[in-house]
Amino acid sequence: MPLSITNIIQSDSGFFVGILGNATLPAATTAGNTVILVISQSNNIVTPVGFVADKTSTFVAPVSGIYRKSNVGAESSWAIAPSSSALVSWTVLEIEGLDPDNPVDTITAGAMSTGTGATLSSGTTPVSATYDGLMLAFHACLDTTTATPGTWSGHTNGFTEVEYVGGTDTGRSLGLSTSLNYSLSLGAFSTTATKTATVGQNSTANVIVYTATGAKRAANVVACTGFEFGTTAGLATGNLGSGIFDAITGTPSVINTDARNGTYCLELAASAAAENCLWQTNGALSAASSTGQRPFRASFKFPSSLPSGNTVLFSLEPTTAVDSVVVRYVSASQKIGLKQGTGTEILSDSTVSANEWISVDLRTDGRTTAHKCDWRVTYTQNGNPIDQTQATATGVVNVGGWAVRIGWTASTTATVRYDDIVVSDQGGHYPLGNYIIQSIVADPSGVLTIPGATTDFQTFTANGTLVAWNATTARNAIDELPVVVGASADGFAQVATSASNYVEIPMTTIDAASNGASIRAVRMLACGWAAATTAATLGFRANDGTGEMTIRSAIDVNFDNTTTPAWVCSMVKGTSRQDWTQAKLDALVFRVGFSTDASPAVGINAIYGEVAMRVGDLIEILFVDGGFYTHFRQDPDSAGIISIIFTTPVGTRGATCSWTNSGTPNSIYVPANTVHEELIGATDIAQMTAVGMEPDPV
Amino acid sequence: MPMPTIYNVGAIASGTGAVTPGLPLGTLADDILLLLIENQDASGIGTVTGYTVITNAFVSSGTLTRLTALYKRATSSESAPSIPDPGDHAVARIIGIRGCINTGSPVNASAPNTQLVSDTSVSIPGVTTTAANCMIIAAFSTGTDVASTTHVSGFANASLANVTERIDNWVIAGGGGGIGACTGEKATAGATGATTATIVTANFKALITIALQGATGGRAIKRRRVQGLILR
């Protein structure tokens, strides 16, 4: 149930002068609910006992704060104790349905908004990450020239005032307005209100976004692969955190005969040996926030037959090794077992079969010593996920994140294939769900461009023969997949120092909607080359049509011209979360260059993107007797409509089908015995506003 | 071909398990029982014994709501139907219509829609009838969690005669939800146009319009003269 005014169980506001007062509610709170306390004072604000300060302003009067107490039961009064006598206005709300563990979605950067004008903005939050948010704002005005407290009105951007309180003392006054708004979409939120207080007197304002419990969150994929790079050359070669993987054990293969999606998958095949691929917390996962939670998804397959013995499939490993999450095949039961730390291994509810792509979604949570792991299993490629019993254990509070290891470290005889691996660092992103990962390459019809001197770059063939720049030659040299290394290697390289010059590479694109999916993330993979093993710097950037993002600053990339080339791999994002759209992927270009030495010549053999897409859920929306259906292919996180599927039955009756997309009404006649899919590609719940179906008369 | 009439509306039923809406008082054989059910589960309503699903519409985002319309031709020993537990909650009510076509399906036209804008304005798209004297039922549901019998007001449709509110029931069972419905008369075949209304609390809506066709003319009477008696 989305957050709304009905989640505000009760609220009240008040005013006092002095060093002690109480914020009160008419009735005792209910356990599990959240108490939000908004305080504005003439001076000397102190965090009330038992509360967390979500945002405070302590320097410019009226000093103010937004405070929170989660999971509050049977309380109705809270002390407010300024450090010295002050005018104090307060508003308290009991709110049902906020996330009890991580209720704050986003707050404004820097100090609260202050001013003396007739209007004041709350400030603007960064783009939120929750798809079910409650925005709380306040405006407070302190007037030292009148005993009439100012009021606030005209709250913009859909905010509605829910509480106002004003008070006065010895010719001064303080007015506090609290307003709320709700949203099922991502956004940057702000509200401006107009005061009646004297212009020239100080005001303070702010806004916070809170998230509902269980709310879907915007994707923040920190690592992914579908093995679409198609090679094991240099699989773990490169600077720590830049390689395809940070480390490998054994001889993993990347094969093209059995992919779950795309062309390639990983095969680990060992006989009494260890074999695995690793992403480390100080490597590929160093950008992941150490929230203590880690949603993860992997798909795997036992080709031909089930393993004869127990086989560890993958593990999530914190700093304290015994607290690892281990997922394995258990031969005695032919089930999947998941063990959190030193706790009891939980077996899946059903057995698994050979020759099926099986997917496991899990979220491990080590934020407290009570570790837990929620998980689900999808037993066939297009099956429905089945929730499993939660695994628990006592462990060390995780502050360093979770490494991800695909495969096993012990002596094992098994053959397992893997595909579509996804790692997120947002607890609310669980379950990650059905992902497909496909590749993009340098667009064979695109034109490579250089903004500066083209003499800064050359193309190479035969692993070392450098010739003058030619855009077509360069493009054709870097678009092969898998990459060609060794004696026949070709590509382009920077040969003259220029920290600002680069080669811009247009990439191919993928129509997510036609795949029934939404774009979640893109990982860049660049296979490096250098004329010698001497250190040389190279940088990587991207542009999605809305702005440039630095993927890797120009540093020594450890490139060479061997058959184990170093790679530079990184998620394509700037300093903040990247919310992908079809338009951004269509516009995506990579920029390679920015070398501060270019000696030896340093460049790339090839460059790819792995595009991680979340397959939408198929949901029946409309039905009319006789076999007329309308289905949505819907993004399970944003609720955006990926496509609409109209189905008419065998016979003589078709249907007139209608929908409204971005405010534009559309209509189509679907004849009898037809399935018509209309691609929408919406990334937001708000884009589609209506759908209908009227069958022909009988 | 006379216009069907609404002879009664049964008692509302709601709850978090199976529910049994009341039969409209005075139900006779051949009356049409139009059953409207609101729930919020992605899965539809299970089988309601004796009832045929006409149409349903499901709002799959925001505050979920599904509206399902079923019908049954009443028998002489009719009893209230049991709606199987759909999961979270169900709200159900029956409109009784008399004078519909007396064989086969009485449905002349139907159309489901969803409105995915959270506002207080309701606009239920219409249908195009192909027969004279159709009783139009325009219904909608929202998932608003409130206990109210005054949640909807102002049903209107300039293309229909005698627009009358028939159902206005919102409940707080489970996640909450409710149904609003009106009837109107479409004397001549053609487009009914949209039916509009206003609700108290903004929300997404599942919308359904159904046209029930009136009965055809009177029975033919055959007479045989046998030895001076007239047998009918």
Side-chain angles (χ1 to χ4, degrees):
Chain A
M1 180 75 69
L3 292 174
S4 70
I5 192 67
T6 59
N7 290 85
I8 312 301
I9 305 305
Q10 53 177 331
S11 65
D12 207 347
S13 53
F15 173 86
F16 69 88
V17 180
I19 60 172
L20 181 63
N22 288 290
T24 58
L25 285 171
T29 57
T30 300
N33 289 349
T34 303
V35 171
I36 302 293
L37 182 53
V38 182
I39 302 172
S40 193
Q41 303 179 180
S42 54
N43 49 273
N44 303 320
I45 196 167
V46 175
T47 301
V49 173
F51 283 78
V52 171
D54 285 337
K55 187 77 175 182
T56 61
S57 169
T58 59
F59 296 107
V60 178
V63 293
S64 306
I66 303 175
Y67 306 94
R68 170 178 46 84
K69 192 172 186 182
S70 295
N71 195 14
V72 181
E75 296 182 16
S76 60
S77 178
W78 302 274
I80 300 174
S83 55
S84 63
S85 181
L87 277 68
V88 179
S89 288
W90 57 263
T91 292
V92 63
L93 308 97
E94 180 188 3
I95 305 175
E96 177 187 45
L98 295 188
D99 187 321
D101 299 321
N102 295 290
V104 178
D105 183 76
T106 188
I107 59 175
T108 57
M112 284 189 177
S113 177
T114 59
T116 59
T119 63
L120 184 63
S121 167
S122 60
T124 304
T125 68
V127 176
S128 60
T130 180
Y131 286 108
D132 189 356
L134 179 154
M135 287 72 73
L136 182 146
F138 80 88
H139 292 76
C141 49
L142 174 67
D143 195 327
T144 60
T145 66
T146 177
T148 304
T151 62
W152 294 88
S153 64
H155 298 72
T156 62
N157 296 330
F159 281 74
T160 301
E161 183 179 86
V162 295
E163 286 284 345
Y164 168 80
V165 62
T168 182
D169 177 64
T170 60
R172 303 178 298 167
S173 60
L174 179 60
L176 171 64
S177 167
T178 303
S179 58
L180 299 176
N181 198 357
Y182 310 88
S183 180
L184 299 179
S185 300
L186 307 182
F189 298 99
S190 69
T191 184
T192 297
T194 302
K195 67 178 182 180
T196 60
T198 309
V199 174
Q201 294 294 301
N202 290 335
S203 300
T204 302
N206 195 244
V207 59
I208 284 183
V209 181
Y210 291 103
T211 182
T213 187
K216 294 294 186 179
R217 310 298 296 276
N220 191 32
V221 175
V222 294
C224 66
T225 185
F227 307 96
E228 295 303 310
F229 43 86
T231 183
T232 55
L235 194 59
T237 305
N239 292 337
L240 182 61
S242 282
I244 298 174
F245 287 98
D246 294 318
I248 59 170
T249 301
T251 54
S253 303
V254 175
I255 63 174
N256 63 357
T257 55
D258 196 17
R260 175 180 184 271
N261 186 265
T263 306
Y264 298 92
C265 70
L266 175 73
E267 179 176 273
L268 301 182
S271 177
E275 191 147 299
N276 62 77
C277 304
L278 176 66
W279 281 326
Q280 298 174 195
T281 53
N282 62 345
L285 300 179
S286 61
S289 65
S290 53
T291 62
Q293 295 186 83
R294 185 68 73 241
F296 172 82
R297 176 183 172 92
S299 296
F300 55 90
K301 183 177 188 179
F302 305 113
S304 302
S305 62
L306 295 173
S308 58
N310 298 332
T311 304
V312 171
L313 297 169
F314 48 86
S315 54
L316 274 64
E317 302 170 5
T319 304
T320 305
V322 295
D323 290 340
S324 294
V325 176
V326 177
V327 178
R328 66 174 186 157
Y329 167 74
V330 182
S331 61
S333 60
Q334 295 190 345
K335 294 183 176 181
I336 303 300
L338 185 147
K339 185 176 181 184
Q340 171 85 49
T342 57
T344 301
E345 181 177 55
I346 306 298
L347 293 179
S348 58
D349 68 312
S350 295
T351 58
V352 296
S353 302
N355 296 311
E356 290 284 358
W357 278 105
I358 303 159
S359 301
V360 169
D361 273 287
L362 67 84
R363 174 183 57 198
T364 182
D365 186 349
R367 290 175 295 170
T368 70
T369 56
H371 288 201
K372 55 188 177 182
C373 187
D374 298 304
W375 62 302
R376 50 170 52 180
V377 179
T378 307
Y379 291 96
T380 59
Q381 182 162 350
N382 294 314
N384 292 319
I386 308 297
D387 288 323
Q388 305 297 318
T389 301
Q390 184 184 70
T392 60
T394 300
V396 175
V397 174
N398 184 312
V399 297
W402 303 81
V404 171
R405 188 186 305 274
I406 308 298
W408 50 91
T409 57
S411 173
T412 301
T413 299
T415 299
V416 186
R417 294 172 181 166
Y418 299 83
D419 207 352
D420 301 325
I421 314 290
V422 182
V423 186
S424 170
D425 69 353
Q426 293 293 318
H429 202 192
Y430 172 83
L432 297 180
N434 187 6
Y435 269 76
I436 56 176
I437 299 177
Q438 299 177 3
S439 62
I440 54 175
V441 300
D443 187 350
S445 61
V447 178
L448 275 58
T449 55
I450 298 172
T454 58
T455 51
D456 289 346
F457 294 88
Q458 293 183 335
T459 62
F460 67 88
T461 57
N463 204 25
T465 304
L466 287 155
V467 298
W469 174 261
N470 178 284
T472 301
T473 301
R475 181 198 67 207
N476 294 340
I478 63 168
D479 66 353
E480 75 271 15
L481 196 162
V483 63
V484 174
V485 296
S488 302
D490 60 358
F492 71 76
Q494 188 163 356
V495 299
T497 300
S498 175
S500 61
N501 207 6
Y502 56 85
V503 176
E504 181 170 289
I505 308 162
M507 303 297 289
T508 56
T509 191
I510 299 170
D511 186 339
S514 65
N515 282 278
S518 304
I519 304 163
R520 288 288 192 261
V522 178
R523 187 184 189 210
M524 183 200 80
L525 302 96
C527 181
W529 181 91
T533 57
T534 306
T537 66
L538 196 66
F540 296 83
R541 301 181 189 177
N543 192 310
D544 62 1
T546 68
E548 186 179 74
M549 298 169 274
T550 299
I551 299 176
R552 293 287 183 186
S553 298
I555 61 171
D556 176 12
V557 285
N558 279 306
F559 287 175
D560 57 31
N561 55 8
T562 69
T563 55
T564 53
W567 292 74
V568 171
C569 305
S570 182
M571 302 307 297
V572 180
K573 57 168 61 176
T575 56
S576 58
R577 187 186 73 238
Q578 172 75 346
D579 294 327
W580 284 96
T581 64
Q582 186 66 56
K584 289 182 179 179
L585 185 66
D586 292 345
L588 180 63
V589 298
F590 289 131
R591 294 173 174 171
V592 180
F594 314 98
S595 180
T596 56
D597 51 22
S599 177
V602 57
I604 60 172
N605 291 293
I607 190 165
Y608 315 118
E610 285 197 290
V611 181
M613 296 175 282
R614 173 64 162 95
V615 178
D617 294 335
L618 193 63
I619 303 173
E620 179 187 311
I621 299 300
L622 306 175
F623 166 77
V624 181
D625 185 28
F628 298 86
Y629 292 90
T630 297
H631 289 81
F632 279 164
R633 178 77 70 182
Q634 186 167 359
D635 186 313
D637 295 329
S638 71
I641 307 305
I642 298 168
S643 67
I644 314 173
I645 303 165
F646 300 110
T647 304
T648 54
V650 173
T652 60
R653 299 171 65 202
T656 299
C657 305
S658 60
W659 66 97
T660 302
N661 182 15
S662 298
T664 301
N666 300 274
S667 178
I668 188 173
Y669 180 75
V670 179
N673 194 25
T674 301
V675 177
H676 174 84
E677 184 166 12
E678 192 70 30
L679 300 181
I680 305 295
T683 57
D684 186 83
I685 188 176
Q687 186 170 334
M688 278 280 300
T689 53
V691 65
M693 189 179 210
E694 183 179 359
D696 291 340
V698 177
Chain B
M1 194 183 308
M3 177 70 70
T5 60
I6 307 299
Y7 65 89
N8 227 323
V9 181
I12 189 73
S14 64
T16 56
V19 300
T20 302
L23 273 184
L25 290 176
T27 294
L28 300 174
D30 275 340
D31 286 339
I32 296 300
L33 303 170
L34 183 69
L35 170 60
L36 296 173
I37 306 171
E38 188 274 339
N39 71 306
Q40 71 173 40
D41 308 278
S43 58
I45 296 290
T47 300
V48 181
T49 303
Y51 282 74
T52 300
V53 175
I54 301 172
T55 183
N56 70 57
F58 178 50
V59 171
S60 61
S61 54
T63 305
L64 308 184
T65 184
R66 176 188 292 276
L67 180 63
T68 305
L70 311 91
Y71 86 93
K72 181 178 190 294
R73 187 177 295 280
T75 66
S76 57
S77 58
E78 198 59 46
S79 60
S82 175
I83 316 301
D85 180 7
D88 181 81
H89 75 274
V91 184
R93 201 161 184 190
I94 301 174
I95 299 174
I97 304 102
R98 182 165 294 158
C100 291
I101 190 169
N102 53 18
T103 58
S105 170
V107 179
N108 179 266
S110 65
N113 287 267
T114 60
Q115 182 191 11
L116 305 177
V117 175
S118 182
D119 61 16
T120 58
S121 300
V122 181
S123 179
I124 309 168
V127 294
T128 300
T129 63
T130 58
N133 290 331
C134 286
M135 175 62 68
I136 308 301
I137 298 89
F140 73 97
S141 71
T142 76
T144 301
D145 187 19
V146 66
S148 174
T149 56
T150 56
H151 193 61
V152 59
S153 63
F155 276 110
N157 188 327
S159 300
L160 304 180
N162 299 317
V163 175
T164 305
E165 179 178 297
R166 301 294 180 180
I167 299 176
D168 183 352
N169 293 100
W170 265 259
V171 303
I172 57 174
I179 304 169
C182 75
T183 59
E185 298 167 2
K186 186 77 171 75
T188 57
T192 67
T195 301
T196 59
T198 302
I199 51 177
V200 173
T201 302
N203 219 327
F204 293 179
K205 304 125 191 128
L207 315 153
I208 288 176
T209 295
I210 299 168
L212 297 182
Q213 184 170 333
T216 53
R219 291 183 301 136
I221 299 175
K222 296 180 180 180
R223 296 175 177 165
R224 239 174 353 115
R225 180 180 296 277
V226 177
Q227 295 184 349
L229 296 177
I230 297 174
L231 304 175
R232 293 175 192 270

